[in-house]
Amino acid sequence: MRLHRNLVFTVIDSILLIFNEGEYADKVVAKALKKDKRWGSADRKFVAETIYEIVRWKRLYTEIAEVKEPFTRDDAWRIFTVWAVLRGYNLPDWKYFENAPIRRIKGRFDELSKIRKFKEAIPDWMDELGVKELGEELWSKEITAQNQQAQVILRVNTLKTTRKKLHAILMDLDIETIQPEEYPDALILKERANVFLTDAFKEGLFEVQDASSQLVAPFLGVEPGMRVVDTCAGAGGKTLHMASLMENKGQIIAMDIYESKQKQLKIRAKRNSAFNIEYRIIEGTKTIKKLHDKADRVLIDAPCSGLGVIKRNPDTKWKLQPEFIEEIKKVQQQILQDYSKIVKVGGNVVYATCSILPSENEKQIEQFLASEHGQNFKFIKDHKVLAHQTGFDGFYMALLERVK
């Protein structure tokens, strides 16, 4: 395995932007991949995967490299050297690798791999919180699974095609997919590929959406002709899934506080031929009050810590702070209280997060049901998805029925 200078320089530049400037890894990677049009798929794969790997294992690699933030360019090269040695690369005769302590790197890796916070490359506070909420054994399994690279999973847009047809279309493009039985709209790529460049994507035959996320819309039990409100729609992955399940019949009101997110959803909806969506910006309590007692189904895909999707967003480990989690739990309960008033008697609400913490999930439902407004609801069922059990994102969803 050889290292190519221009690719490695791009990686060095990128990790400095992420670590020192606080830029988001996905945006930095997207920018990096546009740097040289002559790069082939193998080059692009190296750049993207190497950046994400170094971000994922930041604490372990920086401990071995004996460097601290803010990182100098020399520090970044030391971190990269650790990555290259542990990945089995023969270091080329470049000045950056002079006197690279290969044996010491391997020795330190063996030592640190016995300590979970280094082995899994997580902050002390996150390790302590995980143990407190999930217990030693479960947390150890889950954080190990969260450090695996996320698979590319598609959701078939059944407004335009079937899973069988899309599977065949992609096969003709040499993109092999698996059709998992328990996820009827999902196709899992056997190998990573840039599916966004395909005509199938441009024609709206699919969206990229994790298998766990694909469970939420069916869990809500949406049907054609219903009035459904997606209260925290964002860029609309679940909104579009609901439109598909509803066969474009009925109405979905997609709400969010960010206009930029709604613009993204409008573009995606047009590509998907999802025409039963109405868009509303949440400008205050009046926006919510106008919808009180009006919906058959309400989805509350609440803002959360994101501790169920670390494999997809590894820089979460370094951006997230314990204070944010405490604050977001208050927001979650307030959203549950406010947005659940939108559903009519006899209708259903789903509260969902991409967190694995009981304090953001089961405990929030318990607190809500014990509240004055929560007395109007009956708990039907919940479903917790853990990465170490499924290989997919960590997720939680609870189904409630309004009874009075």
Side-chain angles (χ1 to χ4, degrees), residues 126-291:
M126 191 177 288
D127 194 38
E128 290 161 12
L129 180 63
V131 171
K132 179 184 172 186
E133 295 231 6
L134 297 175
E136 286 276 356
E137 186 180 351
L138 189 56
W139 170 244
S140 289
K141 289 178 182 175
E142 190 62 13
I143 193 59
T144 297
Q146 287 288 352
N147 272 324
Q148 304 305 307
Q149 187 183 55
Q151 295 173 288
V152 179
I153 302 171
L154 314 181
R155 180 185 56 76
V156 180
N157 177 16
T158 54
L159 293 173
K160 287 194 165 187
T161 190
T162 65
R163 183 161 77 165
K164 189 175 180 182
K165 285 179 184 174
L166 182 59
H167 173 78
I169 289 168
L170 294 173
M171 184 69 80
D172 288 341
L173 299 173
D174 295 325
I175 299 174
E176 286 191 68
T177 58
I178 299 163
Q179 304 177 60
E181 285 182 28
E182 60 274 41
Y183 302 88
D185 294 332
L187 285 173
I188 303 171
L189 267 62
K190 283 191 176 181
E191 291 185 11
R192 299 181 78 81
N194 192 345
V195 291
F196 298 113
L197 297 178
T198 64
D199 287 338
F201 175 73
K202 293 168 188 172
E203 291 164 11
L205 302 188
F206 66 84
E207 290 289 329
V208 174
Q209 185 179 6
D210 186 78
S212 298
S213 177
Q214 291 187 37
L215 295 173
V216 177
F219 196 75
L220 183 55
V222 296
E223 294 175 8
M226 283 183 169
R227 192 180 207 202
V228 179
V229 179
D230 188 348
T231 61
C232 307
K238 298 176 188 71
T239 309
L240 295 172
H241 194 187
M242 290 192 290
S244 184
L245 293 172
M246 293 167 68
E247 300 168 11
N248 258 339
K249 297 167 186 172
Q251 179 192 35
I252 301 173
I253 298 174
M255 308 174 72
D256 204 83
I257 58 174
Y258 298 111
E259 196 171 345
S260 59
K261 296 282 187 184
Q262 293 227 318
K263 284 180 180 175
Q264 290 176 51
L265 173 51
K266 287 176 184 177
I267 293 167
R268 295 173 75 188
K270 186 176 180 182
R271 188 176 62 239
N272 277 247
S273 294
F275 302 127
N276 65 335
I277 303 170
E278 181 185 320
Y279 307 91
R280 292 193 195 178
I281 296 292
I282 301 170
E283 294 176 322
T285 54
K286 280 186 181 178
T287 313
I288 310 301
K289 284 179 180 175
K290 284 179 183 176
L291 289 170

Side-chain angles (χ1 to χ4, degrees), residues 270-392:
K270 186 176 180 182
R271 188 176 62 239
N272 277 247
S273 294
F275 302 127
N276 65 335
I277 303 170
E278 181 185 320
Y279 307 91
R280 292 193 195 178
I281 296 292
I282 301 170
E283 294 176 322
T285 54
K286 280 186 181 178
T287 313
I288 310 301
K289 284 179 180 175
K290 284 179 183 176
L291 289 170
H292 279 188
D293 309 309
K294 297 283 199 313
D296 299 298
R297 299 285 186 269
V298 172
L299 173 59
I300 302 172
D301 187 18
C304 68
S305 64
L307 282 175
V309 291
I310 289 174
K311 62 166 61 192
R312 201 165 299 286
N313 303 304
D315 48 340
T316 295
K317 293 193 285 186
W318 319 119
K319 293 189 181 302
L320 194 62
Q321 296 297 326
E323 299 80 21
F324 173 84
I325 296 180
E326 288 310 307
E327 199 55 43
I328 208 67
K329 287 191 283 195
K330 296 173 191 171
V331 173
Q332 288 165 348
Q333 189 59 218
Q334 192 61 54
I335 284 175
L336 247 176
Q337 294 286 341
D338 293 344
Y339 295 178
S340 59
K341 290 171 184 168
I342 293 171
V343 76
K344 61 175 70 165
V345 175
N348 290 345
V349 173
V350 160
Y351 169 83
T353 75
C354 54
S355 173
I356 54 173
L357 299 180
S359 61
E360 293 186 80
N361 298 328
E362 297 95 328
K363 295 286 173 63
Q364 291 287 15
I365 295 299
E366 288 172 18
Q367 185 181 337
F368 172 71
L369 292 171
S371 70
E372 185 180 352
H373 176 57
Q375 304 291 314
N376 297 319
F377 288 82
K378 179 173 74 173
F379 175 81
I380 304 297
K381 60 180 177 177
D382 65 358
H383 182 43
K384 189 164 195 170
V385 185
L386 294 173
H388 79 273
Q389 294 170 339
T390 64
F392 306 127

Side-chain angles (χ1 to χ4, degrees), residues 68-100:
K68 295 192 184 305
E69 295 179 271
F71 302 118
T72 64
R73 197 165 185 80
D74 284 344
D75 291 340
W77 276 103
R78 290 191 188 97
I79 295 167
F80 181 84
T81 302
V82 171
W83 173 86
V85 168
L86 295 177
R87 288 292 172 271
Y89 279 87
N90 293 319
L91 299 180
D93 187 21
W94 301 352
K95 65 175 184 178
Y96 311 101
F97 300 127
E98 284 176 5
N99 305 315

